[in-house]
């Protein structure tokens, strides 16, 4: 990258130098041209004054400098005097641009290649008495010679400027890239890296992405370790009980109990695997969801009815209250969200406790609330209950068959719905989880 930036800076500098030299040359050429035409005009007016004082051509010839050419043309366009060439055989000059312009307006300018001398020249023509025209000209080779003489100086200055640009480009490139290189070498020292204001948003983005990657890596690492541990526990129990039965070490009265434990741990293992697969599906960025307006109340009411038997088994009552309210969602995901919330409220409730599921419609939003009279969550644990495998009461969670993934699944589904989840809890009095959906 440094080489590319350096090359681009040098290229821009080179182009700027060339354009500057061309522009300066053009400006000076125009200035020299204007100066020469002004000199020709002054000289022509001086010669006109002399001719008006009855000076003849011979006297005029003695005053003409070597670098000038003076021509006297009569009204018919015939050359009567030329300081540089013999007038014998000269073609008619009445059609010359500067001569025609002088005949009409009193003076004329032109620059072209002389058909007589075969050289480029500037011309200035001035009208005299009796429709005569006095023309003064100068070869452009004298002007170009100035530029030719200046070429070595121009080239030398261009080389100096080019070298300076290379040096500045090198240091500027290093200065531009230094913060990025420092960030690449040590992202942990982000706050100590000196940079310029324009690069700060880019560096903040890179650092944030780095932090997100590290966080994701830690979550995956923790998740892998937790999955291994969670799978190992029921598998060990299943293997142990099966081995006791296989080796005939279990008495006949224990076989039924061991079989029950094997079945319970197998069911827990199956539930755990299903939750892990579901989380992986929700984590996938390739998953395509087809959201549509769905009335939340019938879905919530149906979930409550389906969990009545499970609630009765735990000695808990579960109820629903609410009104019709549309949300943009997938029905299967809504049912999954409600099931996990209600199942948690039942599992971590007290015998004789209750669960209330409510749906409330408000302007521009819909509120789903699941409130229980259970054991509650200590305040220091409330921020972490939505993490994977995080349990407040591990012994109770395992005894009730919980996997520690229910609320993590809820959090993922809520994010898919562009909704907001909030939790209020008090130890010994219960928990309320509220999800706010955008209105349809």
């Amino acid at each position: 990258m440094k080489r590319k930036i350096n090359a681009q800076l040098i290229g821009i500098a080179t182009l700027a130098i060339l354009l500057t030299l061309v522009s300066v040359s053009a400006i000076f050429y125009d200035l020299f041209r204007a100066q020469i035409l002004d000199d020709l005009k002054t000289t022509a007016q001086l010669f006109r004054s002399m001719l008006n004082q009855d000076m003849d051509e011979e006297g005029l010839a003695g005053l003409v400098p070597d670098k000038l050419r003076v021509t006297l043309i009569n009204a018919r366009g015939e050359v009567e005097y030329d300081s540089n060439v013999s007038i014998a055989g000269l073609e008619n000059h009445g059609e010359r641009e500067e001569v025609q312009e002088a005949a009409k307006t009193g003076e004329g300018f032109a620059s072209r290649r002389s058909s007589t001398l075969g050289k480029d020249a500037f011309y200035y023509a001035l009208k005299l008495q009796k429709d005569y025209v006095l023309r003064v000209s100068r070869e452009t080779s004298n002007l170009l010679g100035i530029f030719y003489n200046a070429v070595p100086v121009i080239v030398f200055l261009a080389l100096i400027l080019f070298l300076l640009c290379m040096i500045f480009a090198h240091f500027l490139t290093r200065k531009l890239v230094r913060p990025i290189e420092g960030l690449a070498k040590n992202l942990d020292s982000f706050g100590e890296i000196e940079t310029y204001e324009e690069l700060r948003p880019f560096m903040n983005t890179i650092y944030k992405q780095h932090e997100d990657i590290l966080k994701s890596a830690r979550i995956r690492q923790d998740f892998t370790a937790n999955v291994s541990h969670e799978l190992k526990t029921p598998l060990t129990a299943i293997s142990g009980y099966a081995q006791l039965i296989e080796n005939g070490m279990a008495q006949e009265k224990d076989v039924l109990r061991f079989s029950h434990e094997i079945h319970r741990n197998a069911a827990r293992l199956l539930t755990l695997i299903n939750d892990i697969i579901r989380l992986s599906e929700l984590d996938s960025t390739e998953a395509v969801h087809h959201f549509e307006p769905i009335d939340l109340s019938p879905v919530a009411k149906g979930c409550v009815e389906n969990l009545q038997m499970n609630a009765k088994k735990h000695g808990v009552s579960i109820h629903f209250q609410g009104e019709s309210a549309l949300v943009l969602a997938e029905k299967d995901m809504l049912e999954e969200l409600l099931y996990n919330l209600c199942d948690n409220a039942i599992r971590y409730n007290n015998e004789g406790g209750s669960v209330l599921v409510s749906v409330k419609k408000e302007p521009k939003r819909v509120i789903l609330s699941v409130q229980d009279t259970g054991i509650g969550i200590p305040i220091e644990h409330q921020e972490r209950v939505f993490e994977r495998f995080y349990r407040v009461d591990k012994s109770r969670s395992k005894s009730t068959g919980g996997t520690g993934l229910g609320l993590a699944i809820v959090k993922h589904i809520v994010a898919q719905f562009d909704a907001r989840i909030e939790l209020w809890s008090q130890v010994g009095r219960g928990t309320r989880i509220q999800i706010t959906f955008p209105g349809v």
Side-chain angles (χ1 to χ4, degrees):
M1 184 175 71
K2 289 172 67 175
R3 185 178 299 176
K4 189 174 181 180
I5 295 175
N6 203 24
Q8 288 179 344
L9 289 174
I10 292 173
I12 293 171
T14 302
L15 181 62
I17 291 170
L18 292 175
L19 289 175
T20 302
L21 290 175
V22 170
S23 300
V24 169
S25 298
I27 292 170
F28 275 106
Y29 182 84
D30 288 339
L31 290 174
F32 280 127
R33 182 175 179 275
Q35 184 62 47
I36 288 174
L37 289 176
D38 190 57
D39 291 344
L40 292 176
K41 182 177 181 179
T42 302
T43 302
Q45 289 174 347
L46 178 61
F47 287 155
R48 181 178 64 177
S49 299
M50 294 178 179
L51 290 172
N52 288 340
Q53 295 176 6
D54 296 329
M55 177 180 285
D56 56 11
E57 286 82 354
E58 291 183 3
L60 185 64
L63 297 175
V64 177
D66 294 337
K67 295 181 180 180
L68 288 179
R69 177 187 174 191
V70 178
T71 308
L72 188 61
I73 305 164
N74 63 26
R76 297 185 300 277
E78 298 169 347
V79 178
E80 293 191 0
Y81 171 77
D82 194 300
S83 63
N84 286 25
V85 297
S86 174
I87 64 173
L90 280 178
E91 59 184 7
N92 192 287
H93 279 41
E95 299 299 323
R96 299 289 195 272
E97 179 185 349
E98 69 279 2
V99 175
Q100 288 187 346
E101 189 177 351
K104 292 178 182 179
T105 63
E107 63 177 357
F109 297 94
S111 60
R112 66 173 185 278
R113 189 168 184 81
S114 172
S115 58
T116 303
L117 300 177
K119 297 179 180 179
D120 293 330
F122 290 107
Y123 298 92
Y124 175 77
L126 192 63
K127 187 176 181 180
L128 305 178
Q129 296 176 357
K130 300 179 183 180
D131 292 333
Y132 272 71
V133 173
L134 176 67
R135 191 185 69 177
V136 182
S137 65
R138 181 174 181 178
E139 295 177 9
T140 57
S141 58
N142 296 321
L143 178 60
L144 294 174
I146 297 172
F147 287 100
Y148 290 144
N149 293 331
V151 165
V153 178
I154 293 173
V155 171
F156 177 75
L157 289 175
L159 288 174
I160 294 296
L161 289 173
F162 182 74
L163 289 173
L164 288 174
C165 287
M166 285 186 65
I167 295 170
F168 284 125
H170 175 71
F171 284 105
L172 184 59
T173 301
R174 288 182 61 185
K175 185 177 180 181
L176 285 170
V177 177
R178 188 182 296 117
I180 300 174
E181 289 180 335
L183 190 64
K185 291 178 181 178
N186 192 2
L187 278 169
D188 295 330
S189 301
F190 170 76
E192 301 174 4
I193 298 173
E194 293 184 6
T195 184
Y196 35 92
E197 192 65 27
E198 293 77 8
L199 192 61
R200 180 59 62 181
F202 170 75
M203 294 182 68
N204 288 337
T205 302
I206 295 294
Y207 182 71
K208 185 177 179 182
Q209 289 177 348
H210 171 69
E211 289 292 302
D212 291 342
I213 290 170
L214 290 179
K215 184 178 178 180
S216 298
R218 285 193 295 269
I219 290 173
R220 289 192 185 95
Q221 187 176 6
D222 293 343
F223 183 64
T224 302
N226 287 327
V227 166
S228 300
H229 176 74
E230 294 293 333
L231 291 176
K232 185 178 179 180
T233 302
L235 283 173
T236 301
I238 291 171
S239 177
Y241 288 125
Q243 191 173 9
L244 288 173
I245 295 173
E246 181 184 20
N247 294 335
M249 297 176 66
Q251 296 181 8
E252 195 171 319
K253 62 179 181 178
D254 295 324
V255 171
L256 184 61
R257 182 170 61 87
F258 289 173
S259 298
H260 172 73
E261 289 298 326
I262 289 173
H263 180 266
R264 187 177 67 83
N265 279 281
R268 180 165 176 261
L269 186 62
L270 184 60
T271 303
L272 182 63
I273 291 171
N274 287 334
D275 284 350
I276 291 170
I277 292 172
R278 184 58 180 143
L279 267 177
S280 298
E281 290 174 352
L282 292 171
D283 278 338
S284 175
T285 57
E286 298 178 359
V288 178
H289 301 291
H290 302 284
F291 295 155
E292 59 182 346
I294 296 175
D295 192 342
L296 181 58
S297 286
V299 180
K301 186 176 181 181
C303 180
V304 169
E305 291 174 353
N306 291 334
L307 286 172
Q308 287 292 344
M309 291 297 296
N310 186 37
K312 190 175 293 186
K313 179 182 174 182
H314 286 81
V316 176
S317 62
I318 183 168
H319 309 280
F320 168 78
Q321 69 177 30
E323 56 187 322
S324 177
L326 293 178
V327 296
L328 198 63
E330 274 188 0
K331 188 175 180 181
D332 290 345
M333 294 175 71
L334 267 182
E335 290 175 344
E336 186 175 10
L337 179 147
L338 280 158
Y339 175 82
N340 280 299
L341 288 177
C342 294
D343 186 59
N344 258 32
I346 293 169
R347 287 179 187 276
Y348 297 99
N349 215 317
N350 297 311
E351 189 171 351
S354 64
V355 177
L356 175 63
V357 180
S358 64
V359 175
K360 184 179 180 182
K361 184 178 180 181
E362 294 186 355
K364 297 184 179 181
R365 67 177 188 171
V366 174
I367 296 175
L368 168 66
S369 174
V370 178
Q371 185 168 357
D372 63 60
T373 58
I375 61 174
I377 303 170
I379 191 167
E380 65 269 17
H381 294 283
Q382 291 180 12
E383 290 185 0
R384 300 193 61 190
V385 293
F386 294 101
E387 295 179 10
R388 302 174 185 189
F389 293 113
Y390 189 83
R391 299 184 182 92
V392 177
D393 187 343
K394 294 183 180 180
S395 60
R396 183 178 181 117
S397 177
K398 290 183 179 180
S399 65
T400 59
T403 63
L405 295 174
L407 289 181
I409 292 174
V410 168
K411 182 181 178 181
H412 275 70
I413 294 175
V414 167
Q416 297 285 345
F417 292 159
D418 196 24
R420 186 176 78 252
I421 188 167
E422 296 170 281
L423 179 145
W424 295 271
S425 186
Q426 189 173 353
V427 175
R429 300 194 63 179
T431 300
R432 179 165 69 94
I433 294 179
Q434 176 178 298
I435 299 174
T436 305
F437 296 86
V440 177

